[in-house]
Amino acid sequence: MDEDSNQEEKQNYLRENILEKGYDVNEFVSFLKSKKGEEGADIENWSMEDLVEVVKEFVEQNKTEKTSKPQSLTQSKTMAPQKTNDPPKITPRRILSTKEPDTNPTLNDEDYGIIIPEHLKCQKSETTELSKYENATITVGDPKKVDNGFFSKAYINFLITTNPLKTAVRRKHADFVWLRERLSVIFNLNVLPRLPKKGKVNDDKHIDKRMRNLERFLNYLLKDPVIKNSNILYDFLTIETDEELDKRKKLYNRMKTPVELKDIKTLDGRIKISVNSNKETYLENIKNNSAFNETCLKKFNKNFKVLKTEMDTTINRLLSFGPLFDKLIKISSTYLDNNVIIESYKQMKNIFISCADMLKKQNSFFYEDVKEYLRLLSGNYHHIRDLTQIIDVQKSNYNKVQKSLISKKIELFRKGDTNNWQLDPKDKKKISEFFSNRIASYQKMCFKETNNVIHTKEKYGYHLNKIIFEYQRLRRINTIENKNKVFQFSKKQSQIATDYFKTMGEIIGIMDDCIEKDNPEEKDMEQMVVPPVEIKNDEEEEKKEQNEINTETNENKNEIIEDNNNVNDDDNKNVIHEENKDTINEDKKEEKEEEKKDEEETKDEKKDDENKDKEEGNDESKEE
């Protein structure tokens, strides 16, 4: 107990006379080593009396430095914490250690004074006449070739119509390039779609495709609320003369990317800068999702090229049947006199050609529209990836200055040298209130450096919130675009299928007409009416047959009488005929008699069976 109390007395003495009076701990430790070597750094090797004398020598040695700042000495006495019965248990090695302690993991940025608000004030964006209309639309059309003279190339002018402003201006492709370049500088964190390639002036198909993509580019800009309200877009859509537009271009060319957050323009005049773990996790999900989408689009483009080549091969094969049918038609018309075969060859040729035309329409739709839309999506995700790289740089800068500041504050508090705390002049007067509180001291230390770190964190927070906003806005736009694309695709496919089956119906109708013209007998046979067959009883049939036999015999007798008056040669023939008739009649009568006998026998057999059944039933009843 005596040793512990003696050690605590030494610690309190050193804290009051070295730490609280602002002396450098490292210098004091080196002074102790100069007296006793390496053992001098351990407080246990010093008695209380020797320690008092060493402290006096150290203070006298540093008198010249202390006389230059007597105010700090007087302040250190007032700032000394009140003595308590239970002094803090600090080991001597920790007090005299020169190692930098680790950062406390339980503390956050707010505990070290790095506090930022939820929002920050900035510039309010302009309002133009275009910003009044929520459903404004832009159409690009009427391409015209302009010959720019002997020494310069010709270019295409497009008519840009904005509704409901009802403005119409003409712009060339270079004007669109300038607009996108300036928007990427003024609004550097906004996602901007890609522009189509310029292409050839005389290629009408490419010009039509480029015109549709330029229209899509401008309508995409209208979906960004900040760009929609900007003066640069309004001037681009409304200024009619090239001279006036060139003047405005010079003004916008002087504008640069805002460096300070206060110079950024928003609709409500404030920006969101808060940072938390949920937002940082969401940012990682954005990176992973963008990378996955880019990979899927690359695979789709690769498969799309394979599909296009296969469809082109199928189209060429279908078209190759045309010359073959032409040869068959020529041969048939030369050696065969059959219009049906010739016409069938012609219609079969038309069937193959119509199939090839249908595949051509599908292929062109995929290649021109769907591929360009995929290119637009790929450009958007590529832009998102670039923004995430910018945020990674901002986050790296912030983490670097944050760790440096936290380490410095921990070291300053450990040394207890308030003169190096770099306090705000207002906080210097209140140092006695927070000196004994670690977190309060961290929050007050290094006033200027802390403000710089806060400013760095505000920039990082702005970039983080901005990319989250842009990514969510991009997803909403892509959802609507995908819905419209699926609708257009299904409508286009149904129209192609309708045209194909309509053509096939016409071809089949022509072939049927040719067959009917060449075979009129078949048409007459189809028009013939077959009389219905009546089912009658057996007795009526026998009577009819007997009557027919009697009539035949009478007719035969009359013929025999008439024939007797003729030539003698005919008499022999008639006799033979009568004999044949008599034999036929006798045969028929015998057949009918045999049938009647058979029916009577079947009836007798049925009666016998019924009698047997009755007798068996009577025998069973007797036995019971």
Side-chain angles (χ1 to χ4, degrees), residues 236-264:
F236 183 85
L237 297 174
T238 55
I239 294 177
E240 296 181 0
T241 61
D242 293 338
E243 292 79 8
E244 184 65 24
L245 182 62
D246 291 338
K247 291 180 182 179
R248 300 296 294 177
K249 281 183 179 180
K250 292 179 181 179
L251 176 64
Y252 293 121
N253 288 338
R254 299 192 195 102
M255 299 177 69
K256 297 181 180 180
T257 303
V259 178
E260 299 296 333
L261 298 179
K262 63 181 180 180
D263 297 330
I264 296 172

Side-chain angles (χ1 to χ4, degrees), residues 64-75:
T64 54
E65 297 178 0
K66 296 298 178 181
T67 52
S68 62
K69 39 186 177 180
Q71 188 177 358
S72 63
L73 291 172
T74 57
Q75 285 181 354

Side-chain angles (χ1 to χ4, degrees), residues 576-589:
I576 295 167
H577 181 70
E578 287 178 357
E579 290 177 354
N580 292 330
K581 289 291 182 180
D582 293 332
T583 54
I584 290 168
N585 292 329
E586 289 176 358
D587 293 332
K588 287 184 179 181
K589 288 179 181 180

Side-chain angles (χ1 to χ4, degrees), residues 311 358-359 361-366 370 485-501:
M311 290 182 71
M358 182 187 70
L359 291 177
K361 291 178 181 178
Q362 288 181 340
N363 205 10
S364 62
F365 175 74
F366 272 110
V370 177
K485 282 296 172 186
V486 171
F487 177 75
Q488 291 177 4
F489 177 76
S490 59
K491 186 178 179 180
K492 188 76 174 178
Q493 292 299 312
S494 63
Q495 185 63 40
I496 292 172
T498 303
D499 296 340
Y500 170 73
F501 287 115

Side-chain angles (χ1 to χ4, degrees), residues 304-349:
F304 180 78
K305 291 179 181 178
V306 175
L307 178 63
K308 183 178 181 299
T309 54
E310 290 179 353
M311 290 182 71
D312 289 337
T313 304
T314 305
I315 291 168
N316 293 329
R317 286 176 180 174
L318 290 173
L319 293 175
S320 65
F321 283 97
L324 294 177
F325 281 110
D326 289 336
K327 291 180 181 179
L328 290 173
I329 292 167
K330 187 176 180 181
I331 293 170
S332 300
S333 60
T334 304
Y335 298 102
L336 298 176
D337 190 11
N338 193 334
N339 293 327
V340 176
I341 295 175
I342 296 171
E343 191 63 29
S344 63
Y345 286 153
K346 289 181 180 179
Q347 299 308 322
M348 289 296 293
K349 175 186 174 183

